[in-house]
Amino acid sequence: MSVRTIEPGLGAEAPTRPEAVRWQPITRILVRFGLLYFGLFALLTQVILEFPGLAVVVRPIVVDWPQPVVRWVGRTGFGIAATHRDSGSGDTAYDWVLLFCILVTAVAGTAVWSVLDRKRTEYRRAASWLLVFVRVCLAVTMLSYGFVKAFPLQMPSPSLTRLLEPYGDLTPMSVLWSQVGVSPVYEILLGVAEILCGVLLLVPRTAVAGALLTVVCAAQVWILNMTYDVPVKILSFHILLMALVLVAPEARRITAVLLGNAVGPSTAPQALRTSRQRRIGTGIQVGLLIWLTVVGTISGVISLQQRESTSELYGIWEVGSFIRDGQSVPALLDDEIRWRRVVFDRRDTADIQMMNDRFHPVRADIGADLRQLLLRPLSDPDSAAPWAHLAVEQLAPNQLRLTGEVDGHPVTMELTRFDSRRFTLRQSGFHWVHEYPDNNCVSGRPACPAPAGSAAR
């Protein structure tokens, strides 16, 4: 019996006798490494936590178990304190050291596996399950990110405080978030595209189309994360990498189609061999898709309702007179104590802007009758003694008087609400006809809209 050698691509033509196939050594090594690396990455990073209902069960394994090892490697190998923290960043020192540990473990495991299993000539079965595993993990991640954009939640509309911040003070990430948040329709379309990726990936017949679309979406996200310094570089790169792994077995057929050549049926490894097994597998994946869609929709609706709840005192309030310890405090631009504005946006929070333009976010508890205001630092929102205890008096629909104590000092201040609709960003809207572009306008030009937002400076 002759043994046939094929090219390293997993999608190479399969002979009629699979037992006679001998894969190239590099292909066998890549399958071993892929199973170990992507398995560990999915288990030990946030990928597995995207599965609804699994977070409570697997979180101790994902978060707690690796920490002693990662801290030791960080301290011994890199001389850094790799401490795990739920900061919202996916690129902390802990995450990078954990990724290093995963890579080293996968390389070592691949080497040992290659020595112990050196007589095996192919891994068609293992490769097929690797593709299924990667495809499901990728689909769940794309659906998770898609729903938070489709509602839209990930990049909200710029807050009142953001409208007051000078553009030069924004970070690249905040510029990106504001740019997308200004156009909810655009964000929704981005989310729909990512949801479509997940849907196509979980339906076996459309998996290749889903992988191709995911490559496009993931490449865009990764480039944005790299160029706007968004701290999700590790995950976004791996999403792109997993999509490329799914495309690889079909690379020759895809290239042939793009060149206008005829192609035959797919020869990529299939995990489920019989038609009954494939029907069951398809049913499980479609069921997972329905479950993820229901959970994503319900979670999105609830989160959107919670986010849309605004403060009872919503608005930008300009501080006029400010009396502290019985003395009128002049509005000096370098004053670090006198208030300049109070911004009430989301429920239960506020931002105090001082005369030196620094913002101090606080927890704001407003009485049911709107006559009492308690302010606490966000660093200690449950403090029994509030930082500020103020009585609220409504002088007019857009005028307030606050009287009480701030940091132990008696104060009295009068505030006037600024109409946030006067900001150019909130006035512009959509136009079919533009006589002049609105970009880079200079105050005083007839073609430019009036700098309404400057009135709030």
Side-chain angles (χ1 to χ4, degrees):
M1 180 180 66
S2 61
V3 176
R4 179 182 175 190
T5 302
I6 66 173
E7 295 299 320
L10 296 181
E13 181 181 357
T16 56
R17 301 174 61 186
E19 67 274 11
V21 175
R22 176 181 293 276
W23 285 9
Q24 294 288 351
I26 186 63
T27 307
R28 285 174 274 164
I29 291 174
L30 287 176
V31 171
R32 296 167 187 145
F33 176 78
L35 284 167
L36 293 174
Y37 183 80
F38 288 113
L40 288 171
F41 183 82
L43 179 63
L44 298 178
T45 66
Q46 66 186 59
V47 170
I48 200 69
L49 297 179
E50 302 294 345
F51 285 79
L54 290 183
V56 176
V57 178
V58 303
R59 186 172 180 82
I61 301 175
V62 174
V63 177
D64 299 336
W65 179 79
Q67 290 189 40
V69 176
V70 175
R71 285 198 298 267
W72 181 84
V73 172
R75 183 175 59 255
T76 305
F78 299 96
I80 60 176
T83 304
H84 179 270
R85 53 176 58 88
D86 292 322
S87 63
S89 170
D91 297 331
T92 65
Y94 177 90
D95 295 312
W96 283 106
V97 175
L98 174 62
L99 184 65
F100 173 79
C101 294
I102 292 173
L103 178 61
V104 170
T105 302
V107 170
T110 301
V112 174
W113 188 356
S114 298
V115 172
L116 296 178
D117 204 22
R118 59 185 177 276
K119 294 183 179 181
R120 184 180 291 274
T121 60
E122 53 85 22
Y123 283 95
R124 194 170 186 84
R125 186 78 169 173
S128 63
W129 282 109
L130 169 62
L131 294 176
V132 171
F133 175 77
V134 169
R135 180 161 59 83
V136 172
C137 287
L138 189 59
V140 173
T141 303
M142 294 304 292
L143 286 170
S144 174
Y145 275 91
F147 277 110
V148 296
K149 289 186 181 75
F151 272 91
L153 294 164
Q154 188 175 10
M155 289 96 159
S157 177
S159 64
L160 295 176
T161 302
R162 179 56 49 83
L163 294 175
L164 291 169
E165 291 179 299
Y167 188 84
D169 289 345
L170 302 181
T171 63
M173 178 178 174
S174 60
V175 170
L176 175 62
W177 251 239
S178 299
Q179 175 255 319
V180 177
V182 164
S183 177
V185 174
Y186 175 65
E187 183 176 359
I188 290 171
L189 291 175
L190 292 177
V192 170
E194 293 180 350
I195 291 174
L196 182 59
C197 291
V199 172
L200 294 175
L201 285 169
L202 282 177
V203 178
R205 284 187 175 274
T206 60
V208 176
L212 287 171
L213 182 59
T214 303
V215 168
V216 176
C217 292
Q220 180 199 30
V221 172
W222 179 65
I223 291 172
L224 289 174
N225 289 346
M226 294 296 292
T227 54
Y228 282 87
D229 197 29
V230 180
V232 198
K233 302 176 186 69
I234 294 175
L235 179 60
S236 60
F237 171 76
H238 281 79
I239 291 175
L240 176 58
L241 181 62
M242 288 190 287
L244 291 173
V245 168
L246 294 180
V247 171
E250 304 290 352
R252 291 184 177 179
R253 297 176 68 241
I254 294 171
T255 303
V257 170
L258 294 177
L259 295 177
N261 299 325
V263 296
S266 174
T267 57
Q270 298 295 322
L272 305 175
R273 299 180 178 180
T274 68
S275 58
R276 183 172 182 272
Q277 289 177 342
R278 287 192 288 271
R279 285 196 301 270
I280 295 175
T282 300
I284 293 174
Q285 293 174 74
V286 172
L288 177 62
L289 173 59
I290 295 173
W291 169 243
L292 293 171
T293 302
V294 171
V295 171
T297 302
I298 294 175
S299 176
V301 170
I302 294 175
S303 298
L304 191 61
Q305 290 175 344
Q306 293 175 343
R307 173 164 287 181
E308 287 182 343
S309 61
T310 57
S311 172
E312 298 88 337
L313 297 175
Y314 177 85
I316 299 172
W317 295 86
E318 303 273 359
V319 178
S321 65
F322 188 94
I323 300 174
R324 184 173 186 264
D325 295 328
Q327 300 291 326
S328 178
V329 181
L332 302 178
L333 293 181
D334 58 349
D335 197 323
E336 300 179 357
I337 298 177
R338 190 190 190 279
W339 294 12
R340 184 176 185 181
R341 298 185 184 96
V342 183
V343 182
F344 295 100
D345 196 342
R346 306 299 180 192
R347 186 183 296 273
D348 298 333
T349 61
D351 286 288
I352 311 298
Q353 185 181 24
M354 303 304 181
M355 289 303 302
N356 62 355
D357 283 342
R358 292 182 62 87
F359 285 94
H360 295 278
V362 294
R363 169 72 181 270
D365 296 321
I366 303 173
D369 55 0
L370 303 183
R371 293 186 178 182
Q372 180 174 282
L373 175 63
L374 300 179
L375 302 179
R376 293 179 172 88
L378 285 183
S379 59
D380 188 16
D382 298 324
S383 173
W387 171 65
H389 187 175
L390 301 166
V392 181
E393 182 181 357
Q394 190 93 33
L395 302 178
N398 291 315
Q399 286 188 317
L400 293 178
R401 178 183 289 133
L402 302 181
T403 306
E405 287 190 357
V406 174
D407 199 18
H409 296 271
V411 299
T412 299
M413 63 187 86
E414 293 187 358
L415 299 81
T416 302
R417 177 154 45 191
F418 169 77
D419 187 0
S420 60
R421 293 173 298 180
R422 294 169 58 188
F423 282 103
T424 303
L425 190 61
R426 291 196 169 186
Q427 283 185 346
S428 299
F430 175 82
H431 305 88
W432 285 109
V433 178
H434 276 278
E435 299 297 341
Y436 299 94
D438 290 340
N439 189 34
N440 293 330
C441 287
V442 178
S443 177
R445 289 185 181 179
C448 297
S454 62
R457 296 288 183 263

